Amino acid sequence: MAVHDHPQRHQGFHFPSLRRTGTAPRTTDTTATAAVTGAHVLAGLRLLTGFVFLWAFLDKTFGFGYATPSGKGWIDGGSPTKGFLSSVAAGPMESTFHDWAGAGWADWLFMLGLLGIGLALMSGVALRFAAVAGTLMMALMWMAEWPPAKHLSNGAPSMSTNPFVDYHVIYAVVMIALAVVGAGATWGLGKLWARLPFVSRNRWLL
């Protein structure tokens, strides 16, 4: 009896791989979904952080009656720095902050810093510059409150809850992280900003 070879018999016996055909696309989809979700979370964090700075600027400018009493806003002749810096009662820069309190240059730098950082974070542009300026501002405010002190200069308890990490440190880390990951591209103008010629030539402006 003659045996005729059939081409299909030499292809081998292969079971379909459910793992390769079913799992890979699902893993890809999960990764993509996680990336989109992460981008949205960071964008939301950026907007919330930006609003913290922007609200501080608006309240200190117009005196909405929250941290700044009505009638004592910047436009009413009040000083955004006098109350805070003159009340510094601990740390190596206590006398320096007292000298700065209420100074015109200090008021302008502080308010322009709040406005610039707030607008940058809200719009998603110049996040690197905002991170540097915001970190410097938070470092100065941290030194003004001086969490390491257990007692104030008058001997009263400082009521510090943590000698190193407080909300100023958290804000600084958040701003640095937002700049590093480019969080302005989602729900912001980061992509358009990056395409501008002068920004493309000066990457530190991203």
Side-chain angles (χ1 to χ4, degrees):
M1 178 183 289
V3 178
H4 299 282
D5 291 331
H6 296 282
Q8 63 268 25
R9 292 184 182 178
H10 293 283
Q11 294 177 358
F13 214 68
H14 300 288
F15 287 102
S17 176
L18 297 177
R19 178 172 298 178
R20 283 183 296 179
T21 58
T23 305
R26 187 175 303 170
T27 302
T28 303
D29 293 342
T30 301
T31 303
T33 301
V36 172
T37 302
H40 289 164
V41 170
L42 290 172
L45 180 61
R46 189 197 83 236
L47 292 172
L48 291 174
T49 306
F51 187 70
V52 169
F53 285 87
L54 190 59
W55 174 261
F57 169 81
L58 294 173
D59 184 58
K60 293 180 182 301
T61 299
F62 300 105
F64 291 147
Y66 290 90
T68 305
S70 299
K72 294 188 177 181
W74 198 23
I75 62 171
D76 300 311
S79 171
T81 63
K82 186 175 183 179
F84 175 65
L85 293 182
S86 62
S87 65
V88 173
M93 292 186 64
E94 179 179 350
S95 59
T96 301
F97 285 131
H98 289 172
D99 293 338
W100 292 356
W105 64 267
D107 289 342
W108 275 97
L109 282 179
F110 180 56
M111 295 300 283
L112 289 177
L114 289 177
L115 179 61
I117 296 168
L119 290 178
L121 290 173
M122 294 289 287
S123 62
V125 304
L127 294 186
R128 294 182 181 179
F129 186 80
V132 173
T135 299
L136 177 60
M137 179 182 289
M138 292 298 102
L140 289 172
M141 295 180 72
W142 185 88
M143 294 186 69
E145 295 194 7
W146 198 246
K150 292 183 178 180
H151 297 87
L152 303 179
S153 55
N154 61 4
S158 67
M159 304 303 291
S160 176
T161 58
N162 190 306
F164 303 108
V165 180
D166 68 349
Y167 65 97
H168 297 109
V169 177
I170 301 301
Y171 281 141
V173 172
V174 166
M175 286 185 285
I176 293 172
L178 292 174
V180 168
V181 302
T186 302
W187 297 344
L189 303 176
K191 290 182 179 180
L192 294 177
W193 175 258
R195 294 194 190 105
L196 296 177
F198 70 94
V199 176
S200 299
R201 292 192 299 269
N202 302 279
R203 306 301 293 176
W204 61 272
L205 290 173
L206 286 173

